[in-house]
Amino acid sequence: MAGMQPVRGTHDLLPEDSVRHRHVEATAFAIANRYGYGEIVTPIFEFTEVFTRTLGDTSDIVTKEMYTFTDKGGESITLRPEGTAGVARAFISGGLAQHLPLKLFYRGPMFRYERPQKGRLRQFHQVGIEYLGSDSPLADVEVIATGYRFLEALGLADKITLELNSLGDAESRAAYREVLVRYLTGHLDRLSQDSKARLERNPMRVLDSKDDDDRAVIAQAPLLGDHLNEASRAFFAELQAGLTALGIPFAVSPRLVRGLDYYCHTAFEFTTSHLGSQGTVLAGGRYDGLIAEMGGPRTPGIGWAAGVERLSMLAGDKAPALARPIVVVPAGTYPVLEAFKLADALRQAGHSVDCPPTGSMKNRLKRADKLGAKLAVIIGDEEQALGEAMVKDLDSGHQERVPMADLPRRLAPRG
């Protein structure tokens, strides 16, 4: 029955998956917090214009992947396909220019109608940061360092490569655009229909194409880096020097680009060979023209986003396991309600506790095994008479009697 299955490209996060998922999010927030980022939470849907103006009306996301609908008020609404646009909209609508510089962290679900593949879903989750208000290359160094330290904290430093490129300033990109158009026009018969349309409206977007024939043409295209002016070269040199000073390894990737005009200077991606052909796990860049493009004040910005599902897969068993609880087991005539009271007292003392309301002692211990419990606190008639509990280590089988009043103190807290 189709209605009782998850929609294609979505999945349920069961407890074992959820703990890895939360570990990625919590690690991202902890590292971002060290760098001075506060959390912003924006709605999961926006007016469609927020995304068409920021992502470009010829992008694959806008033309093929967005979940857009008309609401009951006749407004065109879109589930967010990425996080930066919502943050930029919040910056404008909240009048936050007076608070610059702003360092913001976000996390949450995103939505794109694309072909599901390994680690890529139609409802997926991202964490990301945005640094608004600084046009210094050292801001770019800090943003990239935050991403690197996040991946390092996940235990992934040996599985990722930082790829880096310069998109130059507006003058550099204008000079490059002329050369690019001339080259692409000479190979017009080999370009896809989408790229032919983009060539007329925004030729830099052709460089983002995933079409195989387009990629073959792009592979021989002139390099943007060969058309940087002195100011752009100096910016890129300072960025590289900053990363080197912090001990962050990188590789310059001359074909790494961003097609939209509001991007400038820094583009970067952390990639891996451990997740198949779709190897990017964290990507970002500088977007000094974005907020002005949306109708706000000209505000420099740089940020990155990372896919939580892909990082959960990559981190694998490096994520913490579920907490191993203590199980309270009433036996004999010991009242179940008294066991519940004991379990509640232990929880208030900081322990993770399970107390099955029904079942024999044998079945309760079977449940303890299924939960992966570390300890069982067993109270039968004899223990009740002595005011004690039997504490059994379920790994070693060792047992010891502990006075009831001492239990919260004697049992090590388990998070």
Side-chain angles (χ1 to χ4, degrees):
M1 185 175 178
M4 291 299 105
Q5 297 296 320
V7 175
R8 185 169 185 249
T10 68
H11 69 155
D12 302 306
L13 281 173
L14 299 176
E16 294 78 7
D17 304 314
S18 184
V19 73
R20 290 192 293 270
H21 184 102
R22 295 301 173 207
H23 172 62
V24 171
E25 285 194 348
T27 302
F29 179 69
I31 297 298
N33 196 246
R34 283 184 205 170
Y35 283 79
Y37 289 80
E39 185 167 12
I40 183 171
V41 181
T42 63
I44 65 168
F45 54 84
E46 301 270 358
F47 291 119
T48 300
E49 184 185 12
V50 168
F51 303 112
T52 56
R53 290 184 69 169
T54 58
L55 296 170
D57 56 10
T58 61
S59 71
D60 280 350
I61 294 176
V62 170
T63 60
K64 301 175 184 177
E65 297 174 4
M66 292 203 315
Y67 281 95
T68 298
F69 60 95
T70 302
D71 70 6
K72 292 181 179 180
E75 302 282 4
S76 181
I77 303 295
T78 295
L79 298 178
R80 62 186 182 194
E82 55 88 43
T84 302
V87 172
R89 191 271 310 145
F91 173 83
I92 296 169
S93 63
L96 300 180
Q98 60 185 322
H99 299 294
L100 291 172
L102 268 176
K103 299 167 76 171
L104 302 170
F105 167 86
Y106 65 84
R107 53 183 153 187
M110 310 290 166
F111 306 85
R112 294 184 193 177
Y113 188 85
E114 59 182 349
R115 183 169 61 85
Q117 52 190 298
K118 188 176 183 180
R120 290 192 185 275
L121 299 162
R122 290 175 176 176
Q123 177 181 321
F124 57 101
H125 296 78
Q126 285 187 339
V127 291
I129 63 172
E130 313 294 351
Y131 187 161
L132 303 175
S134 176
D135 58 6
S136 167
L138 291 180
D140 303 42
V141 172
E142 184 185 287
V143 164
I144 294 172
T146 308
Y148 180 78
R149 299 305 178 200
F150 162 47
L151 297 174
E152 186 178 52
L154 290 176
L156 302 178
D158 61 340
K159 290 185 176 181
I160 49 103
T161 300
L162 169 57
E163 298 183 26
L164 194 67
N165 197 22
S166 173
L167 307 178
D169 58 15
E171 180 183 84
S172 299
R173 288 197 312 282
Y176 175 65
R177 192 178 292 110
E178 289 185 20
V179 175
L180 179 64
V181 168
R182 193 157 52 243
Y183 169 80
L184 293 175
T185 302
H187 296 82
L188 200 60
D189 59 328
R190 297 172 58 193
L191 294 178
S192 67
Q193 289 303 313
D194 283 347
S195 286
K196 287 175 182 176
R198 289 169 181 165
L199 183 57
E200 296 291 324
R201 304 176 63 180
N202 186 350
M204 292 281 283
R205 292 236 30 117
V206 176
L207 300 174
D208 288 335
S209 174
K210 302 298 187 290
D211 180 270
D212 288 341
D213 290 336
D214 290 345
R215 300 303 303 168
V217 173
I218 295 163
Q220 302 301 317
L223 295 174
L224 198 161
D226 294 336
H227 298 83
L228 299 179
N229 58 22
E230 283 305 312
S232 297
R233 291 180 189 277
F235 191 105
F236 195 39
E238 190 171 346
L239 168 65
Q240 293 177 76
L243 293 172
T244 299
L246 295 184
I248 296 174
F250 62 88
V252 175
S253 183
R255 300 254 172 225
L256 177 59
V257 294
R258 300 283 185 268
L260 294 167
D261 284 342
Y262 55 73
Y263 282 107
C264 61
H265 292 300
T266 307
F268 62 94
E269 294 183 355
F270 287 90
T271 61
T272 183
S273 60
H274 294 262
L275 288 174
S277 61
Q278 299 292 321
T280 301
V281 295
L282 184 154
R286 175 165 282 278
Y287 49 80
D288 289 355
L290 171 62
I291 290 173
E293 180 85 9
M294 295 176 71
R298 182 161 183 81
T299 307
I302 180 171
W304 54 251
V308 175
E309 282 83 1
R310 291 171 68 72
L311 288 174
S312 295
M313 290 171 59
L314 198 57
D317 58 8
K318 289 184 171 67
L322 286 169
R324 298 185 67 188
I326 297 166
V327 174
V328 175
V329 180
T333 62
Y334 188 72
V336 173
L337 187 56
E338 289 299 313
F340 263 53
K341 286 170 62 179
L342 173 60
D344 191 59
L346 292 174
R347 288 169 185 141
Q348 291 183 62
H351 305 278
S352 175
V353 182
D354 188 77
C355 185
T358 59
S360 65
M361 177 177 167
K362 180 179 179 182
N363 285 338
R364 284 183 163 105
L365 287 173
K366 278 185 178 179
R367 175 170 171 78
D369 186 57
K370 187 178 291 187
L371 291 172
K374 173 66 174 173
L375 300 172
V377 176
I378 305 167
I379 309 159
D381 295 338
E382 184 178 347
E383 289 81 14
Q384 184 179 6
L386 296 170
E388 296 177 337
M390 183 69 74
V391 177
K392 181 175 183 178
D393 185 313
L394 296 177
D395 289 336
S396 67
H398 174 74
Q399 299 183 153
E400 66 172 318
R401 292 185 183 277
V402 176
M404 293 286 283
D406 287 352
L407 274 174
R409 181 177 58 83
R410 292 279 297 273
L411 301 177
R414 303 186 182 276

